[in-house]
Amino acid sequence: MKSSIGIYLLLGSNLGDRLQVLADTQKEIEKTVGAITKASNVYETEPWGVSNQPSFYNQVVKIDSELSPHKLLNSIQLIEYKIGKIKLGKWRERLIDIDILYYDQLLIDDEELTLPHPEIQNRRFTLVPMCELNPDFIHPVFNKSQVELLANCPDELKVWSLDTTLI
């Protein structure tokens, strides 16, 4: 199932050396999941959901992978735990979080996985780097580009570029 359009992952960290965590995560993705073909700048973002925590560094990467969506999910969960993810609660601090945003145009909604990610349209920290990588990518449910989703996004939290891609 090698992707020609691409698979998009969101990487996020707000603990430790955030740039190093994102760099280590990229290395693990390349080793175990597939090639990173494109990466957005790293963005510092205000925390979403719970405000009394450190700001996040977020980045979207486009990958090519032969893994099925569910095997991809399992592989990125293993990467999260290898890097040191500890669940402190929903929307709380984390060393690393990896979300599958899109797997080409696939639609999946089961107990383990929902694709595309169900909150893309509500989160500037996802849409801003996604617009950098592929502004015209059409959301398969809403039939809108990433730019259109960002223009209508209700999230008002700040997102600013660190002007680095780590690759």
Side-chain angles (χ1 to χ4, degrees), residues 9-165:
L9 305 178
L10 175 69
L11 315 180
S13 174
N14 76 336
L15 294 176
D17 182 343
R18 297 169 291 178
L19 282 177
Q20 189 61 54
V21 169
L22 294 180
D24 291 347
T25 301
Q26 286 183 10
K27 287 177 193 163
E28 288 299 319
I29 288 170
E30 293 248 319
K31 267 198 262 181
T32 62
V33 173
I36 295 175
T37 60
K38 209 170 178 187
S40 74
N41 284 326
V42 175
Y43 290 84
E44 187 163 0
T45 64
E46 292 182 311
W48 195 89
V50 176
S51 61
N52 63 339
Q53 60 179 315
S55 63
F56 277 82
Y57 280 6
N58 290 107
Q59 181 179 41
V60 171
V61 295
K62 179 183 177 187
I63 66 168
D64 280 334
S65 179
E66 295 185 17
L67 297 176
S68 69
H70 287 88
K71 286 185 179 175
L72 175 62
L73 176 64
N74 290 337
S75 293
I76 64 174
Q77 287 172 340
L78 288 172
I79 291 170
E80 288 175 328
Y81 290 107
K82 181 175 182 180
I83 298 289
K85 181 175 183 172
I86 298 168
K87 291 191 177 198
L88 299 174
K90 191 171 187 178
W91 302 322
R92 295 299 311 180
E93 299 92 345
R94 56 199 64 208
L95 192 59
I96 187 61
D97 190 40
I98 308 169
D99 290 332
I100 305 171
L101 300 177
Y102 296 103
Y103 192 107
D104 289 333
Q105 294 291 307
L106 284 181
L107 301 175
I108 297 174
D109 190 5
D110 63 34
E111 294 134 15
E112 293 177 26
L113 182 60
T114 301
L115 290 176
H117 190 287
E119 293 294 329
I120 291 170
Q121 69 283 358
N122 297 318
R123 296 176 171 174
R124 287 178 46 78
F125 68 85
T126 300
L127 288 167
V128 170
M130 190 63 207
C131 282
E132 179 190 334
L133 285 191
N134 194 344
D136 299 322
F137 186 85
I138 300 297
H139 191 291
V141 174
F142 301 119
N143 200 31
K144 293 183 184 218
S145 71
Q146 302 307 291
V147 171
E148 291 172 304
L149 291 175
L150 181 58
N152 295 302
C153 181
D155 179 8
E156 296 179 358
L157 295 174
K158 292 181 182 143
V159 175
W160 57 100
S161 175
L162 298 181
D163 295 322
T164 183
T165 61

